[in-house]
């Protein structure tokens, strides 16, 4: 279980941040559509969300593969080789 712990935590963080960026982007778009708030700030919020979805979030696929790979290769090393 410990072999994939770091990858799992990073994956969880990306998915959690992705969820909240989606919530914030939807709220910003709703405010823009209603003509409320500071349009520049809200548009920047949407662009920041897009950046997150385009750049950091795709790393989740690799982290998921790392988590699913299991611990076999790590555990194959004898203790004295660490």
């Amino acid at each position: 279980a410990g072999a994939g712990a770091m990858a799992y935590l990073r994956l969880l963080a990306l998915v959690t941040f992705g969820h909240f960026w989606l919530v914030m982007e939807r709220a910003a778009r709703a405010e823009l559509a209603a003509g409320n708030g500071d349009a520049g700030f809200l548009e920047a919020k949407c662009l920041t969300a897009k950046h997150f979805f385009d750049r950091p979030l795709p790393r989740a696929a690799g982290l998921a593969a790392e988590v699913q790979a299991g611990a076999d290769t790590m555990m194959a090393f004898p203790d004295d080789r660490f």
Side-chain angles (χ1 to χ4, degrees):
M6 183 63 83
Y8 177 78
L9 290 173
R10 288 181 177 156
L11 175 61
L12 178 62
L14 281 173
V15 171
T16 301
F17 278 118
H19 167 77
F20 285 111
W21 272 115
L22 183 60
V23 169
M24 288 186 286
E25 183 187 23
R26 286 182 175 170
R29 290 197 184 281
E31 290 295 304
L32 283 169
N36 297 331
D38 179 344
F41 173 79
L42 295 170
E43 289 167 1
K45 185 71 73 176
C46 293
L47 286 172
T48 305
K50 180 170 177 20
H51 169 79
F52 181 83
F53 298 140
D54 289 349
R55 303 293 297 185
L57 188 59
R59 296 178 194 147
L63 290 168
E66 187 177 340
V67 169
Q68 293 171 348
D72 292 345
T73 54
M74 180 181 286
M75 299 312 291
F77 283 97
D79 290 345
D80 64 342
R81 297 293 178 205
F82 274 95

